[in-house]
Every structure is written in C-alpha cells, then in structure tokens.
C-alpha cells in the first residue's frame, strides 16, 4: 500500500537559503581578513537615557555631542520602576532596531509592545 505524501507546513518546511550579508572589514584587519577582532578605543564610554512611551517609534532621536557618523553605538532597552536604577523585565516586549549614528547623536527604531506608556531606560555604549 502506498503511503500518502505528508503535508508539510510551518516549521517542518525546508528552510529557504538566502545570501548572507557581506562581512565588512573591521578596524585593524588587513585586506585578507586576518585578525578578526576589533577593540574599543580609549575614548569609549557608556551613558543612559530615560523615556516614557509605548508603541512603534521608527525614528527616536538621541543627542550626544561625542557621536559622529562613524561611531559605533550599541543600545540596550529595559523597563524601570520608581527610579532609573530599578530596571526589570516585565510583561512588555521591547526592542531597539536600526541604530544610525550621525554627527551629534544617533537615531533608532524603538518598539514597545504595550498598550500604555512605560518607563524606559536605554543603556548605551558608544565608541566614538
């Protein structure tokens, strides 16, 4: 007896193969790609910003005089309670996408999936 063909949908489908993004040359790397590490400069620093919001905000502006268009900017997002040092992970899903530095600051796409404004803290590592 012939076995009927399985119906395949969802996560049991064969994943599609797509081209990977091209790897950029890191600082301190030669043209052959040797030494695949990049270190932070002595001028790197951390700071934080607080905000109260919710929803999708595709162009949040963060001003910071030390940032230029070539800076490396890393952002973490968390919710906070009574003060900005009391951070926690709550029921709201939050994310930061598409960080774009410019001379004098950076912009980021922020998504806070909650139906009312929340206290938000952005922790930032900047390598100018």
């Amino acid at each position: 007896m012939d076995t009927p063909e399985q119906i395949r949908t969802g996560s049991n489908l064969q994943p599609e193969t797509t081209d990977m993004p091209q790897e950029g040359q890191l600082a301190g790397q030669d043209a052959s790609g040797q030494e695949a590490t990049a270190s932070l400069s002595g001028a790197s620093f951390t700071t934080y910003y607080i905000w109260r919001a919710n929803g999708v905000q595709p162009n949040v502006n963060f001003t910071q005089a030390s940032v230029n268009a070539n800076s490396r900017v890393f952002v973490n997002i968390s919710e906070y309670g009574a003060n900005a040092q009391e951070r926690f992970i709550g029921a709201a899903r939050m994310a930061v996408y598409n960080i774009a530095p410019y001379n004098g600051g950076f912009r980021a796409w922020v998504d806070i999936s909650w139906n009312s404004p929340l206290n938000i803290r952005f922790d930032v590592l900047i390598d100018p």
Side-chain angles (χ1 to χ4, degrees), residues 81-95:
N83 64 60
Q85 283 66 47
E86 295 179 12
R87 290 169 281 171
F88 62 89
I89 298 173
R93 185 180 53 188
M94 300 183 292

Side-chain angles (χ1 to χ4, degrees), residues 51-62 77 95-98 107-114 117 120 122:
W51 197 41
R52 186 162 174 83
N54 67 309
V56 176
Q57 310 290 333
N59 197 10
V60 179
N61 189 44
F62 298 81
I77 187 172
V96 176
Y97 307 105
N98 305 24
R107 290 184 178 86
W109 181 310
V110 177
D111 184 355
I112 303 162
S113 298
W114 201 248
I120 306 299
F122 300 95

Side-chain angles (χ1 to χ4, degrees), residues 36-56:
T37 60
S39 58
L40 297 173
S41 72
S44 296
F45 65 97
T46 62
T47 188
Y48 71 91
Y49 297 81
I50 57 173
W51 197 41
R52 186 162 174 83
N54 67 309
V56 176

Side-chain angles (χ1 to χ4, degrees), residues 40 43-48 64 74 121 123-127:
L40 297 173
S44 296
F45 65 97
T46 62
T47 188
Y48 71 91
Q64 177 55 248
F74 305 91
R121 176 172 163 159
D123 287 286
V124 183
L125 169 62
I126 298 170
D127 187 25

